[in-house]
Amino acid sequence: RKEVEQDPGPFNVPEGATVAFNCTYSNSASQSFFWYRQDCRKEPKLLMSVYSSGNEDGRFTAQLNRASQYISLLIRDSKLSDSATYLCVVFHSSYKLIFGSGTRLLVRP
Amino acid sequence: DGGITQSPKYLFRKEGQNVTLSCEQNLNHDAMYWYRQDPGQGLRLIYYSQIVNDFQKGDIAEGYSVSREKKESFPLTVTSAQKNPTAFYLCASATGGGYEKLFFGSGTQLSVL
């Protein structure tokens, strides 16, 4: 079983749609959680950190469920520019970040 | 401007050749990382370093070597022992201390001639 698992997609949605991604992790000692965005052949860029209380940044909402060991990302009112791959990242005490393989999002006009 | 710089952007390796990828940061970060990304795949950790003159193997260290002689620099050598080196290589740095928000360089695409 992979340490961090994501649905690879692609998720193909129309502009204005709401879309949600989930990510599960296997190590219950994981401490910090992040969503990164990666455009094709570019470096990943931090989208948002994920907190137990949930956090929101504009159209993006991230949630953490420690009991079930998953994190989620909700994108409201999708824009064409949201088309990218979204990487789930988990950090635990061995000072390693574990990346999921990413979920690809395609937003169509 | 503070940041992390990788060079070159594109690199070609001949059979049996060692090549070195450069990674420099001026963010004063303690931790630095090297990742490999294959098409349609996530990032896999090659090596990481939490402090100068110390580094640890990641999940796929075979065929690679690193050094950390200066805080700012963490070069990666892809040796001839790495039989499938074609990939996108990403260097990253972080402040360390248990909350590892990464800052990435723009990556190096390595291909075999």
Side-chain angles (χ1 to χ4, degrees):
Chain A
R1 183 187 172 187
K2 291 183 180 179
E3 290 191 68
V4 177
E5 294 201 66
Q6 294 183 251
D7 181 341
F11 285 65
N12 192 324
V13 302
E15 265 189 296
T18 295
V19 61
F21 310 135
N22 280 341
C23 165
T24 58
Y25 61 94
S26 61
N27 191 330
S28 59
S30 299
Q31 297 178 334
S32 305
F33 308 88
F34 308 92
W35 283 103
Y36 278 76
R37 171 196 169 125
Q38 185 177 27
D39 294 291
C40 188
R41 280 318 191 203
K42 300 285 188 182
E43 73 275 21
K45 294 185 178 177
L46 180 66
L47 181 64
M48 55 199 311
S49 304
V50 188
Y51 306 114
S52 296
S53 56
N55 48 304
E56 187 174 310
D57 183 3
R59 297 181 294 108
F60 298 84
T61 301
Q63 294 277 354
L64 166 63
N65 186 318
R66 283 193 182 272
S68 300
Q69 295 184 203
Y70 76 85
I71 68 173
S72 64
L73 177 68
L74 181 78
I75 305 174
R76 290 180 298 277
D77 189 23
S78 299
K79 311 291 184 190
L80 295 176
S81 58
D82 293 334
S83 296
T85 297
Y86 291 84
L87 303 171
C88 169
V89 184
V90 174
F91 171 70
H92 57 67
S93 58
S94 64
Y95 293 98
K96 291 199 303 183
L97 286 115
I98 310 298
F99 283 75
S101 55
T103 297
R104 191 171 169 213
L105 173 64
L106 301 173
V107 181
R108 64 181 187 270
Chain B
D1 285 341
I4 181 164
T5 302
Q6 283 187 246
S7 63
K9 191 171 180 65
Y10 300 97
L11 186 59
F12 297 91
R13 193 191 89 165
K14 296 179 182 178
E15 290 287 336
Q17 186 182 36
N18 292 352
V19 292
T20 297
L21 284 60
S22 171
C23 179
E24 304 277 333
Q25 54 99 359
N26 60 2
L27 299 166
N28 200 33
H29 285 169
D30 288 315
M32 296 187 76
Y33 300 80
W34 273 106
Y35 289 91
R36 168 180 171 142
Q37 188 175 33
D38 293 281
Q41 303 291 317
L43 279 67
R44 292 185 290 167
L45 182 64
I46 305 172
Y47 269 98
Y48 64 104
S49 169
Q50 293 293 314
I51 196 169
V52 175
N53 292 322
D54 189 40
F55 48 83
Q56 285 77 40
K57 293 182 179 180
D59 301 313
I60 55 165
E62 187 174 348
Y64 300 96
S65 66
V66 293
S67 63
R68 187 85 187 276
E69 297 176 2
K70 298 186 298 182
K71 188 175 186 178
E72 304 81 24
S73 179
F74 191 41
L76 174 74
T77 296
V78 184
T79 74
S80 57
Q82 173 49 246
K83 298 305 179 188
N84 185 23
T86 297
F88 188 50
Y89 290 85
L90 286 157
C91 179
S93 69
T95 54
Y99 185 70
E100 295 292 81
K101 187 185 295 184
L102 290 178
F103 294 78
F104 281 92
S106 57
T108 294
Q109 174 63 49
L110 175 63
S111 303
V112 177
L113 288 175

